Amino acid sequence: MDAILGNGSPRSQVVRQLILVFSGLLIVALLLGLVSLYRIAQTLDEREQAQSRFYAESALAQLQKNERNYLLTHAFWQAAYDHLAGAADSHWAFDEDNVGQTLYTEDGYEGVFVLDDDGTHYAVLDGQLSDQGFDHHSASGGRVLQLARQAVQREQAASGYLLFRGQPALFAAAVIRSPSAPHHLPAPAAVLLFVRVLDPAMLEALGRTVGLSDFALSTAASAEPGRGLLPLEGSGQALTWHVEQPGSTLIRTVVAPFAVALLVIVMFMLVFARQAMRTSASIDRSHRQLAASKSALETSEARFKAVAEAASDWIWETDAQQHLTYLSARFAELTGHTVAQWLQRPLKQLLDCDTLDIEAWLHGLAASEASGNLRCQYRDRAGQQRECRIAARAIIEQGICKGFRGTCSDITDEVAAHAQIQHLSLHDALTGLPNRNKLFRFLEQAEAGQIALLMLDLDNFKPINDSLGHSAGDAVLIEVALRLGQMTRDSDLVARLGGDEFIVVLARPGQQEEVDRFCLRLIETLRQPITLDGHTVQIGVSLGVVLSAQYPAAPNELIRYADVALYGAKQAGKNTWRYFSPQMNAALLEKRTLERELREGIPRNELVLHFQPRYKVDGITVASAEALVRWRHPRLGLLRPDRFIPLAEESDLIVQLGNWVLREACERARAWPLAVMVSVNMSPAQFRRSDVVRDVADALRCSGLPAQRLELEITENVMLNDVEGALHTMTALKELGVRLNMDDFGTGYSSLGYLRTYPFDSIKIDKRFVQSLGKSDSDRSVVQAIINLGNAMGMTVTAEGVETPEQLALLSDDQCHEVQGFLLSKPVENQVLMRLMEAGKAADRVMP
Ligand code: C2E
Ligand code: CA
Ligand code: CA
């Protein structure tokens, strides 16, 4: 070594210069190495950041998806719709634990709520029923409602983050809907909401699912070194986690030796060759350490791949040419293909998209540095077409696109479920026929062409449903749907609007005569008996028809026209059809006006009672007085009950009217000078819509009239709808002590059978028979038979509508008990009746 330094020999000079040049080059090379090392390290860290962020996002997305799906199983549920969409039934929800404690104990939801714009209707907090509303715990109520209602448009649930009791939390929310009528949303739609607090334990577990460590929440706006950051919108906080920094590690382990190396080289310049030896040794060491760092990096990548295998969607990566470079193992599980088979092949060979070119789409993503979603198809190993959604993002390093990376979720089941929901929303669940929604679509599409729209109403359906049960009713509806389907062409449409209302739309109806023939055929077809295990039933049908050629209109108007025509057909005696005409509409409008006026008129005391006495057959002794209601109409004058009772019977008005009559009749009768009975007519509709036993008891109590002075006149139609229920009600009425009179006897369905079963005290022969007395012998024998029957069963028999002395004489001969009619007295005002009674009393006193 000394020889080399000391000796200025030309050879050693050359060697010295060579060594100097060599050392200089070495320094430059080392400096260059350092710079590129720094850049590599930076890239490594960036890639690690991006990868870990991608996995954190996947973890959150997966979590939200699970939460939404779970919530939907509760919100898109008929029972929940029945019990929670309106007034919340906490017995069903909490006590029966349908939407209750288990959601906390098993599923870990700290909050379960049902809300709408009026506030919270149902709340379970930490598994306990609570009366504190959601707003008490969070300020996000409005946002949740809005998101859930937006999501329902897509038949989805909403999810996101919020602050709950001061803590960041995850929520999922959806509008409560009925699967049988998914598009019918009550307004304001109630929303079911699940809240899960993001506590350290659950974050830790979430992190584990994607192999990231130290998941935590932070209020910081940007990431600290060595940590990833993902803002949780709505909660005011962000998710952070630990990120490996292979690049920084590399620098830390390599820069020091490099620095040493540089120093050594400088020394080498001073001490030449010996130091050169040391330097080379040092470089060797550096290289070994570099290799070690690289292998650390490789393990870190391997770890990510391992994570990818755990995710439920499969993960893919391509190079810049879009050739697959990586597929997670889930790929093989979900598609049946092997990973090896697809590596190095173009992505677009695997996935197919019919709206976009995948290759161009990915280039677009690279250019805009954005991430995107695309719905695609692929064929699985069995050759089956599957639906999927890919999420993709370009891998950009120092401004250069190095490839693409993304996930792929199989959505085949989701798509199928969506199609099913679509079907449900357009079809009636019972008959499978199109429903109102589909009908409207059909009519909108048909708007230009000519159609005939027929609205059907089944006659006699309700009694079948009531007496034979709902399953029998359902069977009838299904049979009707079947027959209608057989009668129509493919281009026509048969829809069920609900209940026993059907619509038939004829797409090419032809002339009115042709429609007439169709209606006749339809009525005949539906009239054919229907056999339901053991029973044979028969139904009829009334039809309202509108021809769009005559009255072109929007779908809802056309349906209304048909409804008006249907009303006409029913008025005309059922089992027939009527075409819409504007006059009908006028009649209907008049009817509606009258109904409104009656509703207002009852409380305004526009009703008045007239009384028609009923006499013993001697024609002198008053046995009872029948209350007959009149309406002093401000515009139309005094109206007979026939004008307004049928109207009232179509709605709840009959209950109001009936109760007014009951009270008024009892109060008047209480003040009569004679303790005769008062008879009150009761409509079958009252039995259906109200608790008549309670109504009668109330009227008696309020007026103080003894029960035995009240008689109720009931027609046998009351038994038609609900035989069992009617028997029960009438027995209860008898227990109150009132008398029951069967009105209009002889006009109903199967009177004799009923008479035996039901607790009637008397029967009233319909005036139709009485009035033909003396004209027709057969009617006289009917009257005689009824009188005999009454006698045999110990019932009082009354004849109503007695107009002539001859009729009275015949009834007297046949030993009818009581009579009523214009011959003896017309219905009169209460004042007049009282005077009649006073006169009767006076006569009594005169005649011992
Ligand atoms: P209804 O119960 O059969 O009442 C008898 C009807 O026959 C009464 O008509 C009465 O005025 C009439 N009438 C009585 N004697 C004769 C006669 O000799 N010849 C003829 N041609 N008619 C006679 P109104 O008052 O017009 O009542 C008609 C129907 O309206 C009643 O028939 C009853 O079904 C119903 N109605 C009357 N008031 C009430 C009520 O308060 N509640 C209910 N639900 N229905 C009532
Ligand atoms: Ca009557
Ligand atoms: Ca009658």
Side-chain angles (χ1 to χ4, degrees):
M1 187 81 54
D2 282 353
I4 298 172
L5 282 172
N7 283 340
S9 77
R11 192 169 165 261
S12 72
Q13 284 250 315
V14 170
V15 169
R16 198 142 101 218
Q17 273 170 358
L18 270 175
I19 286 175
L20 273 173
V21 169
F22 180 72
S23 305
L25 283 174
L26 204 63
I27 288 174
V28 170
L30 278 172
L31 279 173
L32 278 175
L34 248 171
V35 169
S36 68
L37 183 69
Y38 176 75
R39 291 186 58 177
I40 289 172
Q42 218 180 11
T43 310
L44 289 177
D45 284 354
E46 274 174 17
R47 191 191 286 181
E48 186 83 18
Q49 260 290 352
Q51 266 181 331
S52 76
R53 185 183 161 100
F54 174 71
Y55 292 117
E57 278 173 354
S58 302
L60 288 176
Q62 189 68 36
L63 176 66
Q64 289 203 23
K65 183 164 144 190
N66 294 345
E67 297 280 49
R68 288 195 303 270
N69 287 344
Y70 188 59
L71 179 96
L72 272 182
T73 62
H74 288 76
F76 190 50
W77 179 21
Q78 185 65 41
Y81 181 74
D82 294 340
H83 294 280
L84 289 177
D89 175 357
S90 68
H91 175 71
W92 176 85
F94 190 80
D95 301 341
E96 292 179 12
D97 199 15
N98 286 301
V99 187
Q101 204 168 23
T102 324
L103 286 172
Y104 175 69
T105 53
E106 298 286 312
D107 306 316
Y109 293 109
E110 279 85 358
V112 173
F113 302 92
V114 175
L115 7 147
D116 65 18
D117 300 313
D118 304 333
T120 305
H121 298 289
Y122 176 70
V124 178
L125 272 182
D126 300 329
Q128 300 298 321
L129 195 61
S130 161
D131 45 31
Q132 288 182 345
F134 178 65
D135 290 341
H136 194 83
H137 308 290
S138 171
S140 300
R143 183 168 60 97
V144 168
L145 281 179
Q146 193 193 3
L147 287 174
R149 284 170 189 167
Q150 282 165 0
V152 77
Q153 318 281 334
R154 292 171 272 122
E155 279 152 10
Q156 266 299 343
S159 61
Y161 307 95
L162 46 76
L163 267 183
F164 183 70
R165 300 194 285 208
Q167 280 178 285
L170 177 71
F171 77 87
V175 172
I176 303 174
R177 286 186 303 151
S178 150
S180 60
H183 286 285
H184 172 73
L185 299 173
V191 166
L192 181 64
L193 166 67
F194 289 179
V195 181
R196 183 191 298 286
V197 172
L198 297 171
D199 57 27
M202 87 139 291
L203 286 176
E204 185 61 43
L206 184 66
R208 263 204 307 280
T209 64
V210 288
L212 294 176
S213 64
D214 203 12
F215 258 35
L217 293 174
S218 152
T219 47
S222 58
E224 298 163 29
R227 296 195 66 81
L229 185 100
L230 204 59
L232 304 179
E233 215 176 304
S235 72
Q237 303 215 10
L239 181 69
T240 74
W241 62 92
H242 171 72
V243 181
E244 299 280 344
Q245 289 181 293
S248 308
T249 316
L250 186 69
I251 288 178
R252 268 203 304 285
T253 44
V254 176
V255 160
F258 256 82
V260 170
L262 270 174
L263 203 74
V264 167
I265 290 168
V266 171
M267 291 189 40
F268 171 78
M269 290 182 70
L270 298 171
V271 290
F272 294 104
R274 256 172 57 170
Q275 274 75 3
M277 298 293 287
R278 238 182 257 167
T279 306
S280 82
S282 159
I283 289 173
D284 270 0
R285 203 164 50 243
S286 305
H287 274 131
R288 273 202 302 280
Q289 275 168 339
L290 185 64
S293 297
K294 274 206 167 143
S295 95
L297 177 66
E298 274 156 19
T299 23
S300 138
E301 289 225 334
R303 185 174 57 76
F304 271 121
K305 309 277 150 143
V307 163
E309 313 312 353
S312 75
D313 305 337
W314 47 274
I315 293 172
W316 53 269
E317 280 177 24
T318 71
D319 57 19
Q321 284 68 47
Q322 303 190 5
H323 286 215
L324 288 161
T325 53
Y326 170 71
L327 284 164
S328 64
R330 291 281 291 166
F331 170 78
E333 274 170 48
L334 288 168
T335 65
H337 298 295
T338 61
V339 170
Q341 184 188 348
W342 277 98
L343 286 183
Q344 307 312 325
R345 287 171 64 181
L347 179 70
K348 68 172 184 192
Q349 250 177 38
L350 176 64
L351 300 173
D352 209 40
C353 172
D354 37 43
T355 52
L356 272 177
D357 175 40
I358 294 186
E359 205 174 338
W361 176 69
L362 284 176
H363 280 310
L365 288 185
S368 60
E369 294 195 26
S371 56
N373 274 293
L374 191 66
R375 175 142 160 220
C376 303
Q377 294 89 37
Y378 69 89
R379 294 207 172 266
D380 65 11
R381 201 180 137 82
Q384 206 69 31
Q385 169 141 327
R386 311 275 306 172
E387 300 287 331
C388 63
R389 182 176 294 123
I390 61 169
R393 177 185 290 179
I395 308 171
I396 301 204
E397 285 168 9
Q398 266 121 31
I400 296 160
C401 172
K402 291 288 166 70
F404 300 89
R405 172 191 295 141
T407 56
C408 179
S409 352
D410 192 295
I411 53 167
T412 312
D413 295 341
E414 214 172 283
V415 170
H418 190 265
Q420 199 198 348
I421 290 174
Q422 194 80 8
H423 181 85
L424 275 177
S425 72
L426 291 176
H427 292 84
D428 161 42
L430 176 66
T431 60
L433 288 180
N435 64 11
R436 186 180 288 272
N437 296 336
K438 179 125 188 221
L439 171 69
F440 270 77
R441 284 198 193 175
F442 184 86
L443 291 176
E444 273 154 17
Q445 279 158 13
E447 208 151 351
Q450 291 184 0
I451 56 155
L453 190 145
L454 288 70
M455 183 178 272
L456 286 69
D457 186 76
L458 303 185
D459 304 328
N460 203 27
F461 174 73
K462 200 173 179 318
I464 293 175
N465 208 33
D466 288 342
S467 55
L468 298 181
H470 285 296
S471 58
D474 288 353
V476 168
L477 294 174
I478 291 169
E479 178 64 26
V480 168
L482 200 73
R483 291 185 189 178
L484 292 176
Q486 285 163 353
M487 288 193 60
T488 46
R489 292 171 298 200
D490 285 350
S491 51
D492 300 338
L493 182 96
V494 180
R496 177 171 172 237
L497 296 192
D500 58 349
E501 265 189 354
F502 292 83
I503 292 236
V504 175
V505 183
L506 302 179
R508 291 186 304 278
Q511 298 299 310
Q512 183 157 334
E513 296 76 60
E514 264 177 76
V515 180
D516 282 336
R517 274 197 295 280
F518 180 83
C519 291
L520 191 65
R521 207 149 56 82
L522 201 155
I523 290 173
E524 285 309 316
T525 307
L526 292 192
R527 249 199 200 154
Q528 299 306 313
I530 300 174
T531 323
L532 315 163
D533 48 6
H535 296 274
T536 303
V537 297
Q538 199 180 15
I539 51 164
V541 64
S542 305
L543 296 169
V545 188
V546 59
L547 302 176
S548 71
Q550 290 175 0
Y551 300 103
N556 57 342
E557 275 295 284
L558 275 181
I559 292 176
R560 203 179 62 82
Y561 289 169
D563 196 16
V564 169
L566 177 64
Y567 181 71
K570 284 201 270 189
Q571 294 295 90
K574 307 190 171 177
N575 276 315
T576 185
W577 66 97
R578 285 289 178 271
Y579 290 89
F580 170 76
S581 73
Q583 290 82 349
M584 281 181 171
N585 204 10
L588 199 72
L589 282 179
E590 167 69 21
K591 190 184 110 175
R592 295 229 179 90
T593 316
L594 213 59
E595 183 183 326
R596 198 197 62 237
E597 288 172 336
L598 180 60
R599 196 177 292 282
E600 294 161 359
I602 296 175
R604 267 197 241 132
N605 247 336
E606 288 176 10
L607 295 183
V608 60
L609 286 187
H610 283 188
F611 293 93
Q612 184 178 33
R614 189 167 88 207
Y615 295 86
K616 298 277 180 209
V617 80
D618 62 13
I620 300 162
T621 320
V622 176
S624 149
E626 180 178 4
L628 293 163
V629 67
R630 310 283 181 257
W631 179 12
R632 275 192 299 242
H633 191 281
R635 187 158 51 86
L636 303 168
L638 196 70
L639 295 184
R640 306 306 259 7
D642 313 279
R643 276 292 290 278
F644 58 91
I645 297 268
L647 199 92
E649 281 176 334
E650 284 176 21
S651 68
D652 282 340
L653 255 186
I654 189 64
V655 175
Q656 212 183 330
L657 184 147
N659 282 334
W660 181 88
V661 171
L662 261 174
R663 281 169 187 242
E664 178 78 4
C666 290
E667 264 159 37
R668 297 286 175 194
R670 174 118 171 81
W672 286 341
L674 285 180
V676 295
M677 267 193 301
V678 61
S679 306
V680 172
N681 292 287
M682 302 273 283
S683 154
Q686 274 172 273
F687 283 75
R688 274 204 302 278
R689 297 175 191 269
S690 173
D691 178 357
V692 290
V693 182
R694 187 200 54 206
D695 296 344
V696 169
D698 285 352
L700 289 171
R701 206 188 46 247
C702 292
S703 62
L705 186 77
Q708 61 277 11
R709 280 191 58 200
L710 177 63
E711 180 180 65
L712 304 176
E713 296 200 356
I714 305 167
T715 68
E716 51 199 308
N717 290 341
V718 82
M719 287 151 279
L720 198 65
N721 291 321
D722 178 6
V723 178
E724 283 299 310
L727 180 60
H728 185 260
T729 310
M730 276 188 266
T731 314
L733 286 172
K734 280 299 319 167
E735 278 164 10
L736 287 180
V738 301
R739 285 171 57 97
L740 300 180
N741 185 353
M742 187 185 272
D743 207 354
D744 300 346
F745 189 80
T747 57
Y749 288 75
S750 49
S751 322
L752 294 178
Y754 288 144
L755 258 193
R756 256 181 228 107
T757 334
Y758 290 83
F760 285 103
D761 301 282
S762 51
I763 45 184
K764 208 179 221 188
I765 308 173
D766 190 66
K767 53 178 171 289
R768 196 181 69 198
F769 300 107
V770 177
Q771 285 172 352
S772 51
L773 275 182
K775 291 180 201 148
S776 131
D777 283 345
S778 67
D779 277 340
R780 175 154 190 207
S781 51
V782 171
V783 170
Q784 281 171 336
I786 298 176
I787 294 171
N788 291 339
L789 184 80
N791 281 332
M793 299 182 74
M795 294 185 193
T796 311
V797 182
T798 307
E800 68 174 9
V802 182
E803 291 183 353
T804 64
E806 193 193 358
Q807 289 163 356
L808 181 61
L810 285 171
L811 288 163
S812 171
D813 286 350
D814 291 338
Q815 292 174 331
C816 185
H817 305 134
E818 294 175 0
V819 286
Q820 190 180 20
F822 292 173
L823 176 69
L824 301 147
S825 167
K826 292 206 162 187
V828 294
E829 284 173 22
N830 186 49
Q831 284 302 317
V832 180
L833 178 82
M834 302 232 301
R835 251 180 273 130
L836 271 173
M837 285 181 177
E838 293 288 358
K841 240 165 64 175
D844 267 0
R845 252 180 264 125
V846 175
M847 294 186 296

